[in-house]
Amino acid sequence: MAMLRRGCGAMRCFFHLVSTHDQILDDSGLEVADLGAMHEQIARAIHKIRQDDHHNEEDWRDWQLNVVDEAGNLLVTIPLGTQPA
């Protein structure tokens, strides 16, 4: 798993929605300064997905949010079918 390191500058992360049958790829991404900023963006993205969705939680059970770096290295995977604690 790739990691952001202190002092290495900002990094562009892409937030892809992926399921077993479909994918919605983020082609623009976001610049993040560090792991904390990346996790804040992940929380915002999941919150927005859940707020904007007009379907119930069951519709997301096969989906996950994959965060990748510019090289395509997987940084974080979060299943969307589970409610946040």
Side-chain angles (χ1 to χ4, degrees):
M1 181 182 296
M3 293 295 213
L4 296 173
R5 291 180 228 138
R6 290 184 185 185
C8 290
M11 172 181 183
R12 184 162 292 276
C13 292
F14 299 85
F15 298 79
H16 303 315
L17 292 170
V18 180
S19 76
T20 56
H21 53 78
D22 202 2
Q23 58 185 0
I24 303 168
L25 301 179
D26 173 9
D27 59 357
S28 57
L30 291 171
E31 287 286 323
V32 296
D34 56 30
L35 286 173
M38 182 182 70
H39 285 284
E40 286 176 20
Q41 291 300 328
I42 290 169
R44 285 184 187 143
I46 291 172
H47 180 74
K48 182 167 175 36
I49 289 165
R50 288 193 169 131
Q51 271 200 322
D52 290 350
D53 185 25
H54 299 290
H55 305 289
N56 64 36
E57 187 70 25
E58 298 238 343
D59 291 338
W60 288 107
R61 73 178 155 222
D62 290 343
W63 289 85
Q64 61 191 28
L65 177 67
N66 287 345
V67 182
V68 301
D69 64 13
E70 291 177 285
N73 297 312
L74 184 63
L75 303 173
V76 177
T77 296
I78 299 175
L80 296 178
T82 57
Q83 288 289 342

